[in-house]
Amino acid sequence: MPSAEVTRPVIVIVDDDPNLRGSLATLLEANGFSSLTAQGSVEFFTLAEKHPIDLALVDLRLNGESGLALSIRIREHHRIPIVMLTGQGDETDRIIGLESSADDFIMKPFNPRELLARLRAILRRSGHPALATLDRSARQSKHFGRFKLNRRELIGPDGTEISLTNAEYRLLEYFLHHPDRVIPRAELMAELGNDLSLYMDRTIDVLILRLRRKIEQVPSKPVHLQTRRGQGYIFVETS
């Protein structure tokens, strides 16, 4: 029987640059993570068959294949957070990635401390035992309408779980902590915990649209997550 000791989070680095893979692996290993490396999709899925994986760190532009396409495949087969490494000028791809697969984006070149902080935040929110928050409020369920947010799980009216990405979860949780208040878009971008220069107004719009598709009976006529034109968004807990 395995021991009850909490293991290090396992992160797979998918990048076609061997130097970057090596430096990232060294950084992660020195800061409380276990790392595995892959240069593309074939190596990733081979590793996934042999090892438990807690998070995938995927370069957007892999040699000979799309990191975005790989992230979509990972999402289809594994319920793990996905963080994409992206370069300058990849704004459109970031939007597509947020719509389809990625939990977060980190722009290269990145600050190592920021990378580590954001990986820890994502793993903490996804419930990894080594990083899970222990405060009582984090363990309490939050209700709105016929929905329940229990840690990172969104439970729908029929009792089934509705999958949330890390960014969706963070925004929904923020709204639930600040109901009935108009929240400007800039405040929501700041809540994502990233350099505001990495995010555009369109990014928030995409996340809002995705949340509405999951929590609104008619997304085009939202009851909970409403727009206040020219001001921001307001969250109404009950109809």
Side-chain angles (χ1 to χ4, degrees), residues 2-233:
S3 69
E5 180 182 357
V6 176
T7 60
R8 289 182 166 206
V10 178
I11 296 178
V12 177
I13 304 160
V14 187
D15 198 292
D16 54 22
D17 182 343
N19 293 325
L20 182 60
R21 289 200 307 270
S23 61
L24 279 173
T26 299
L27 174 68
L28 295 177
E29 293 285 347
N31 287 274
F33 300 94
S34 292
S35 65
L36 299 169
T37 62
Q39 64 179 358
S41 59
V42 174
E43 290 188 1
F44 173 85
F45 285 107
T46 298
L47 289 172
E49 290 178 356
K50 300 176 181 178
H51 304 278
I53 297 172
D54 297 302
L55 184 146
L57 184 60
V58 182
D59 190 0
L60 179 63
R61 302 195 180 279
L62 297 169
N63 185 24
E65 63 178 316
S66 165
L68 181 57
L70 172 57
S71 294
I72 293 172
R73 287 181 60 197
I74 293 172
R75 180 70 72 202
E76 291 173 348
H77 294 89
H78 301 279
R79 296 187 60 183
I80 60 173
I82 300 169
V83 176
M84 302 203 73
L85 296 174
T86 173
Q88 296 281 354
D90 290 335
E91 289 86 356
T92 300
D93 288 326
R94 285 202 292 274
I95 293 298
I96 295 172
L98 283 170
E99 288 181 322
S100 57
S101 57
D103 290 278
D104 203 355
F105 284 86
I106 298 177
M107 185 177 292
K108 297 186 291 187
F110 50 82
N111 182 301
R113 291 181 62 184
E114 180 188 3
L115 171 65
L116 293 169
R118 286 163 65 176
L119 292 178
R120 290 189 183 106
I122 290 171
L123 287 166
R124 183 180 299 113
R125 293 181 184 276
S126 68
H128 191 281
L131 295 165
T133 53
L134 299 178
D135 59 288
R136 180 175 301 176
S137 62
R139 295 196 296 269
Q140 292 176 341
S141 297
K142 300 176 180 65
H143 296 260
F144 63 97
R146 300 173 62 196
F147 293 85
K148 177 174 71 172
L149 186 66
N150 184 18
R151 296 182 68 88
R152 200 177 186 274
E153 296 180 350
L154 176 63
I155 308 301
D158 61 356
T160 60
E161 180 185 351
I162 301 170
S163 177
L164 294 176
T165 67
N166 184 67
E168 291 168 352
Y169 170 82
R170 290 165 69 182
L171 284 185
L172 180 56
E173 184 184 47
Y174 193 74
F175 279 124
L176 288 172
H177 280 296
H178 302 87
D180 303 316
R181 176 169 77 83
V182 176
I183 303 176
R185 185 179 278 105
E187 183 176 334
L188 296 175
M189 288 193 289
E191 172 58 20
L192 290 177
N194 301 281
D195 181 345
L196 294 184
S197 66
L198 303 186
Y199 282 86
M200 304 169 291
D201 285 356
R202 176 66 177 142
T203 306
I204 295 298
D205 294 339
V206 168
L207 292 174
I208 294 294
L209 177 60
R210 288 192 343 199
L211 277 176
R212 281 176 174 161
R213 288 172 178 167
K214 295 179 179 183
I215 67 174
E216 302 287 357
Q217 186 171 2
V218 182
S220 62
K221 298 179 180 179
V223 172
H224 297 293
L225 187 44
Q226 302 177 17
T227 301
R228 292 293 183 265
R229 196 170 301 279
Q231 301 179 65
Y233 298 96

